[in-house]
């Protein structure tokens, strides 16, 4: 899958406008308006999901992002879900899922106490 390819991601996400792709955690972080809405780790794309959208990701074979932690434990971050592989071949669907991820990131930011919101957030 091409999700780990920065140029591919930039092209697919161009319709959103204002997307920044940054190296992080040995992968890539996807940001829009300074809010992280996705990450790419080991070639897999994970998108921010609102709690009521988890079923959509699961129905497409997705699972929440997880990683190995100290002591052999596994840590799961339930707000980021693996995106369907088919999106790499469906640019319009890719953008639609990315828009939903951006909306989930914005909603999560608005739900934070005022002092913890991103700088300059309009609520």
């Amino acid at each position: 899958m091409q999700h780990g390819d920065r140029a591919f991601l930039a092209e697919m996400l161009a319709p959103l406008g204002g997307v920044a792709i940054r190296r992080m955690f040995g992968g890539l972080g996807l940001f829009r308006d300074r809010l992280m809405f996705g990450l790419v780790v080991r070639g897999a794309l994970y998108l921010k999901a609102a709690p009521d959208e988890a079923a959509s990701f699961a129905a497409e074979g997705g699972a929440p992002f997880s990683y190995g932690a100290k002591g052999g434990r596994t840590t799961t971050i339930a707000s980021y879900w693996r995106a369907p592989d088919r999106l790499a071949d469906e640019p319009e669907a890719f953008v639609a899922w990315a828009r939903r991820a951006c909306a989930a990131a914005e909603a999560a930011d608005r739900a934070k106490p005022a002092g913890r919101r991103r700088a300059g957030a309009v609520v």
Side-chain angles (χ1 to χ4, degrees), residues 23-88:
R23 289 195 174 282
M24 59 186 306
F25 308 125
L28 300 171
L30 308 177
F31 296 82
R32 184 165 180 249
D33 296 330
R34 294 179 286 173
L35 289 174
M36 187 169 165
F37 70 90
L39 67 138
V40 179
V41 179
R42 295 179 296 279
L45 172 66
Y46 294 86
L47 295 172
K48 181 87 168 168
D52 62 341
E53 293 182 324
S56 296
F57 284 89
E60 295 256 10
F65 174 67
S66 63
Y67 61 92
K70 289 184 179 182
R73 294 176 303 145
T74 298
T75 299
T76 300
I77 301 181
S79 61
Y80 285 88
W81 280 72
R82 184 171 177 149
D85 288 340
R86 69 176 173 81
L87 297 182

Side-chain angles (χ1 to χ4, degrees), residues 1-3 8 12 84-94:
M1 178 167 239
Q2 300 172 342
H3 288 308
F8 171 79
M12 293 290 276
D85 288 340
R86 69 176 173 81
L87 297 182
D89 298 320
E90 301 175 14
E92 290 178 12
F94 189 104

Side-chain angles (χ1 to χ4, degrees), residues 10-22:
E11 180 181 337
M12 293 290 276
L13 294 168
L16 288 178
V19 173
I21 302 171
R22 301 183 191 139

